[in-house]
Amino acid sequence: MGKKVKLWTNQYIVIISLTLVMFSAFYMITASFPVYVSTISDNPAIAGTMTTTLMVASLITRFFASVIIQKVNMKLLLIVSLLYFLGTIALTFVNDSIGFLIFIRALQGIGFCMLTNLVFTISSNIVPKSRLGEGIVFFAMSTSVGTTLGPLIAISYLANYSFQSMMMLTLGLMSFSFVCSFFTKNTGKKEQDRPQATNNEPFYKYMFDKRVLLPSILVSLNYMAIAGTVNFSGTKGQALCPYCFETYEPFRKKAYI
């Protein structure tokens, strides 16, 4: 029997670590924004708008993300996307008006869409073909763990500390992912030198693969459930954590420390 190909290479460990921390930081922000906005606006509907804006921006960007990834150096694009997302977190310290925060969420939706497409593509390229199933499962597990830990950490953190200090924490976590991105390798596969047939089809016909329509619908239903749960935690939090949300005053004081 042939020797088993190594799965846990340095590159694989780097992309797993980068993804785990990135997803944790992102979902910390996603869970905390509705809570914070509810305290400064006293309008639960606006808290829901934050998540909706993020998802819509992410959905629109996804149509173009795959095309961009195919044309640009993946490592460079990953570094730029992480730097872009770090900038969106830093912008939250500039202004706390509702309109500005909604704009920030739209920018974060664009950035996170690019990042998720990149890390999934890079991970699938570095996993050996003979262990592709195993490699993708471990990678998917890192995203699930990050998605689970993020809201848990955020809600617990906001019970004792301010929203601004939590954003500093997410800034540090995303900075860790940013540093990890420098240790990744560009995994774009070189095309053969032979001439390719010219594709005269309109852009909108090859930007989306019809085979992924059903999985896309299932994933969208999953995200609707996640968004509803996160928004409920933010708008009905007084039932879950009386100390923080009974009158909103204790949390409101912390939010500006």
Side-chain angles (χ1 to χ4, degrees):
M1 295 180 64
K3 186 178 180 180
K4 195 172 183 181
V5 180
K6 184 179 180 180
L7 173 63
W8 292 92
T9 61
N10 291 337
Q11 283 294 299
Y12 188 70
I13 293 173
V14 166
I15 198 66
I16 288 283
S17 303
L18 183 155
T19 303
L20 173 62
V21 174
M22 182 184 76
F23 268 75
S24 298
F26 175 76
Y27 281 98
M28 284 175 64
I29 299 172
T30 300
S32 61
F33 250 99
V35 177
Y36 176 65
V37 172
S38 294
T39 64
I40 62 177
S41 67
D42 292 329
N43 186 352
I46 295 179
T49 302
M50 292 289 170
T51 303
T52 302
T53 301
L54 173 83
M55 296 301 179
V56 170
S58 179
L59 176 63
I60 295 173
T61 306
R62 201 164 295 275
F63 286 104
F64 307 96
S66 60
V67 178
I68 297 173
I69 288 173
Q70 292 174 14
K71 297 181 180 296
V72 182
N73 180 291
M74 286 193 190
K75 177 178 180 178
L76 177 62
L77 189 57
L78 179 63
I79 292 172
V80 171
S81 297
L82 282 165
L83 187 61
Y84 167 88
F85 200 88
L86 283 167
T88 65
I89 297 176
L91 284 175
T92 59
F93 298 97
V94 175
N95 195 322
D96 62 356
S97 66
I98 299 301
F100 186 76
L101 292 178
I102 291 175
F103 173 68
I104 294 300
R105 292 303 279 162
L107 294 180
Q108 290 178 345
I110 295 171
F112 192 67
C113 175
M114 289 299 302
L115 287 170
T116 51
N117 274 273
L118 281 165
V119 294
F120 272 94
T121 303
I122 293 173
S123 66
S124 63
N125 286 345
I126 64 177
V127 172
K129 290 184 178 179
S130 60
R131 304 186 68 178
L132 185 61
E134 182 184 357
I136 294 300
V137 165
F138 280 117
F139 176 79
M141 188 181 298
S142 71
T143 67
S144 299
V145 172
T147 303
T148 303
L149 287 178
L152 174 65
I153 296 172
I155 300 301
S156 301
Y157 189 93
L158 289 177
N160 299 286
Y161 304 100
S162 70
F163 175 78
Q164 278 75 15
S165 65
M166 198 204 73
M167 294 305 291
M168 289 295 296
L169 176 60
T170 59
L171 197 62
L173 292 174
M174 290 300 293
S175 296
F176 171 82
S177 294
F178 178 68
V179 172
C180 287
S181 67
F182 287 96
F183 297 95
T184 61
K185 293 181 180 179
N186 182 45
T187 60
K189 298 178 179 178
K190 296 182 179 179
E191 297 184 357
Q192 296 179 352
D193 293 333
R194 64 188 180 188
Q196 300 292 327
T198 304
N199 189 350
N200 295 321
E201 291 185 347
F203 172 73
Y204 65 86
K205 286 190 176 181
Y206 66 83
M207 71 186 296
F208 183 77
D209 190 342
K210 294 180 180 179
R211 294 174 297 178
V212 302
L213 180 60
L214 180 58
S216 297
I217 293 173
L218 296 177
V219 171
S220 67
L221 294 174
N222 180 46
Y223 269 87
M224 288 180 187
I226 292 174
T229 303
V230 170
N231 285 330
F232 176 81
S233 298
T235 57
K236 301 297 182 181
Q238 62 268 31
L240 304 176
C241 184
Y243 170 73
C244 295
F245 301 102
E246 183 176 5
T247 63
Y248 287 124
E249 289 304 321
F251 181 80
R252 183 171 295 166
K253 289 178 181 178
K254 292 174 192 171
Y256 294 97
I257 293 176

